[in-house]
């Protein structure tokens, strides 16, 4: 598994698994009252992999990770992460159009 992604007619956006794992917002990774990150990003191996990914209702993706953790990502969070991970227009080749992740 290379990560999660989104496609449209002309563009594919992918997010490496380690970046997605580091973005977990569960109570074990983020203080619920303050929103302060508890998870130390450097503690997540770049080699981490999702073991199982399943939709949860119509709003989120549940991911079981190779480190034993389970995360729940609302689709809007995944879209935002993918958008943030896209190269800026200045970093794209001139023949690559601007696209929007949906």
């Amino acid at each position: 598994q290379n990560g999660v992604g989104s496609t449209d007619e002309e563009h594919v956006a992918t997010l490496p698994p380690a970046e997605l794992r580091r973005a977990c917002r569960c109570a074990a990774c983020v203080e619920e009252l303050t929103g302060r990150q508890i998870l130390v990003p450097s503690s997540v191996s770049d080699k981490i992999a999702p073991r199982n990914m399943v939709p949860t209702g119509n709003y989120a993706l549940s991911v079981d990770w190779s480190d034993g953790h389970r995360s729940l990502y609302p689709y809007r969070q995944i879209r935002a992460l993918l958008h943030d991970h896209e190269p800026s227009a200045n970093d794209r080749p001139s023949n690559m159009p601007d696209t929007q992740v949906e």
Side-chain angles (χ1 to χ4, degrees), residues 89-100:
N90 295 335
D91 295 336
R92 281 191 207 109
S94 59
N95 64 343
M96 182 181 245
D98 289 335
T99 58
Q100 180 177 359

Side-chain angles (χ1 to χ4, degrees), residues 1-2 4 7 12-13 21 26 30 42 52 55 59 78 93 96 98:
Q1 191 79 260
N2 293 329
V4 297
T7 61
V12 175
R21 172 64 183 88
C26 80
V30 174
S42 62
N52 190 36
Y59 71 95
I78 295 171
M96 182 181 245
D98 289 335

Side-chain angles (χ1 to χ4, degrees), residues 34-96:
T34 66
R36 183 181 68 84
Q37 188 174 28
I38 298 168
L39 175 68
V40 177
S42 62
S43 72
V44 177
S45 169
D46 287 336
K47 295 180 181 184
I48 195 162
R51 294 290 181 221
N52 190 36
M53 298 183 351
V54 296
T56 301
N58 292 321
Y59 71 95
L61 181 69
S62 177
V63 180
D64 295 331
W65 293 102
S66 57
D67 66 357
H69 189 74
R70 176 176 286 168
S71 301
L72 184 66
Y73 299 96
Y75 292 127
R76 73 174 174 265
Q77 179 187 7
I78 295 171
R79 281 192 300 271
L81 289 166
L82 287 166
H83 178 73
D84 291 347
H85 195 261
E86 285 184 336
S88 70
N90 295 335
D91 295 336
R92 281 191 207 109
S94 59
N95 64 343
M96 182 181 245

